Amino acid sequence: MTRSKVELHAHLNGSLHPARLWALKAHHERRFPHEPLPVFPAWFTPPISELQRRSLTFDDVFPLFGVVQALTDHPEAVAQAVEAVIDDFAADGVRYLELRSTPRAVPDRMTKLQYMRTILETMETRNARGQILSKYLVSWDRRQSLATAEETLALALDLRAEFPNTLVGVDLSGDPRSGDARSFIPLLEKARHHGLKLAIHLAEVPNETETWSILTELKPDRIGHGTAIHPSLGGSSRLWPALLTARIPVEVCLTSNLFCQSVPTLEQHHVVHLKAAHHPFVICTDDQGIFFSPLSQEYALVQGLLGSSNEAMDQLALEAIDYTFASDSEKDTLRRAFQLP
Ligand SMILES: [Zn+2]
């Protein structure tokens, strides 16, 4: 039987499987028949064989992000994408999902507000059907200006009044080599003051000063990746104890880290150190559509690496509920559902 799980680090665009993208392409061609679309990479025709999957590199899959953006340029397509991603997670045993996405405006087609509202409405409609509970984390791209993040926050706070149970947090993401997360701290504090939880992509590349400030000043509710914190992976003997002291749960995405080469080998992955230090962590996918790594496969990878029993993995899945941005009563409901025989 599929293990019940929560998924806490998933980007909407990267969670779309090839077959889902082909369906979105067909939809776009029907809706806007005279509009040229970006060409899919040559290898990208489902079903994609295991051999093809294994030979892919980041350079192969990166162009897909541009394709996804072109396909989801109007509210109908955004709704279709959200539904597809939720269905795929549910089919893999995910009972609770936090999905993140950067709001985007497309001239004459969609405002940022429409983009966010579409995600929230689609989630609430789907939540009413049961089986899986989904929530939205609004992403800020660290390459964008503070003014853009501030505008997004204002929209999020307006929408939060309408969707208080579904719009639950803010994510800071984007190319870790550009921008400075420290400049976002005052805005992130403001988001927190208004009741939004904070999930921050941190230390994907070595950056001692930024990582130190986020860990010790901001103290977010969760950290995404946190690869370059342990001294063996580009962190330092100052950062690692700071993480352990802060007890901030880490969202661990093995396949993504290996694919993006932020961790050289599976055996060197920092989840080994997190486990040894009894530090809280959650197994997540990041971009399961593009990295071909459903959450159940990520659990299997961690199990193999840590040599854990099935019972220990069930326990890990159960503990992950503690680190969600769900309400206390939702957490209780999830714990009961996970413990059903
Ligand atoms: Zn991510």
Side-chain angles (χ1 to χ4, degrees):
M1 202 180 77
T2 316
R3 173 184 290 120
S4 292
K5 300 176 286 299
V6 303
E7 167 62 74
L8 305 185
H9 187 135
H11 300 265
L12 171 61
N13 288 358
S15 297
L16 289 157
H17 289 292
R20 298 300 196 180
L21 291 182
W22 279 95
L24 281 165
K25 183 169 182 277
H27 166 85
H28 204 283
E29 283 165 349
R30 277 197 306 275
R31 184 85 161 68
F32 306 103
H34 304 296
E35 192 174 293
L37 282 168
V39 178
F40 279 14
W43 57 268
F44 193 76
T45 306
I48 294 163
S49 73
E50 185 62 30
L51 198 65
Q52 275 175 311
R53 278 165 39 165
R54 284 188 194 186
S55 67
L56 294 174
T57 66
F58 193 74
D59 289 339
D60 295 317
V61 300
F62 193 73
L64 285 177
F65 286 107
V67 175
V68 179
Q69 291 231 332
L71 297 177
T72 55
D73 63 356
H74 59 290
E76 252 175 70
V78 174
Q80 188 177 329
V82 171
E83 271 172 36
V85 166
I86 294 174
D87 284 346
D88 287 341
F89 275 112
D92 191 36
V94 172
R95 302 282 161 254
Y96 174 90
L97 166 68
E98 286 174 15
L99 202 56
R100 48 187 86 188
S101 184
T102 309
R104 162 169 96 89
V106 181
D108 302 324
R109 293 223 169 135
M110 179 168 68
T111 63
K112 269 189 178 184
L113 188 68
Q114 278 177 311
Y115 183 89
M116 297 163 80
R117 182 183 288 282
T118 301
I119 292 178
L120 289 160
E121 285 176 346
T122 308
M123 283 180 167
E124 293 208 341
T125 304
R126 184 65 175 78
N127 288 347
R129 281 166 45 204
Q131 188 192 17
I132 179 167
L133 178 63
S134 301
K135 302 203 182 240
Y136 178 33
L137 308 185
V138 179
S139 294
W140 296 349
D141 188 329
R142 53 184 288 154
R143 288 165 298 192
Q144 292 177 336
S145 67
L146 278 180
T148 302
E150 195 153 17
E151 180 205 12
T152 303
L153 178 60
L155 295 173
L157 293 178
D158 282 348
L159 283 169
R160 187 159 157 79
E162 207 177 326
F163 302 92
N165 299 320
T166 309
L167 202 173
V168 291
V170 169
D171 154 59
L172 185 66
S173 47
D175 188 342
R177 292 157 300 187
S178 53
D180 186 342
R182 287 177 299 174
S183 61
F184 289 88
I185 289 179
L187 264 190
L188 289 162
E189 298 273 21
K190 184 177 173 188
R192 172 187 270 161
H193 175 75
H194 286 276
L196 292 166
K197 301 282 190 180
L198 307 180
I200 310 293
H201 281 68
L202 190 68
E204 292 175 84
V205 294
N207 189 334
E208 172 91 18
T209 45
E210 178 183 285
T211 304
W212 176 258
S213 295
I214 297 293
L215 283 178
T216 61
E217 286 172 38
L218 181 67
K219 298 190 178 81
D221 299 285
R222 289 199 314 258
I223 287 167
H225 303 303
T227 36
I229 295 181
H230 192 272
S232 67
L233 290 165
S236 72
S237 55
R238 183 169 80 127
L239 291 179
W240 182 249
L243 171 68
L244 300 186
T245 304
R247 295 289 294 169
I248 302 169
V250 178
E251 300 152 358
V252 162
C253 313
L254 275 90
T255 298
S256 166
N257 295 157
L258 292 170
F259 212 93
C260 302
Q261 298 177 338
S262 49
V263 173
T265 66
L266 184 63
E267 291 68 30
Q268 287 166 279
H269 197 279
H270 54 297
V271 72
V272 174
H273 304 296
L274 294 170
K275 172 82 165 39
H278 304 289
H279 189 84
F281 67 91
V282 193
I283 305 168
C284 305
T285 55
D286 207 9
D287 294 302
Q288 70 157 347
I290 285 179
F291 299 142
F292 302 99
S293 60
L295 190 56
S296 48
Q297 190 173 304
E298 295 298 301
Y299 267 73
L301 270 177
V302 172
Q303 182 168 14
L305 179 61
L306 301 179
S308 305
S309 64
N310 286 334
E311 292 70 26
M313 296 308 290
D314 290 343
Q315 188 59 30
L316 210 53
L318 184 68
E319 277 170 20
I321 296 171
D322 295 348
Y323 316 133
T324 65
F325 298 158
S327 69
D328 287 344
S329 68
E330 287 167 341
K331 286 181 185 177
D332 284 343
T333 306
L334 281 168
R335 284 189 197 103
R336 279 197 296 276
F338 275 39
Q339 287 169 310
L340 286 176

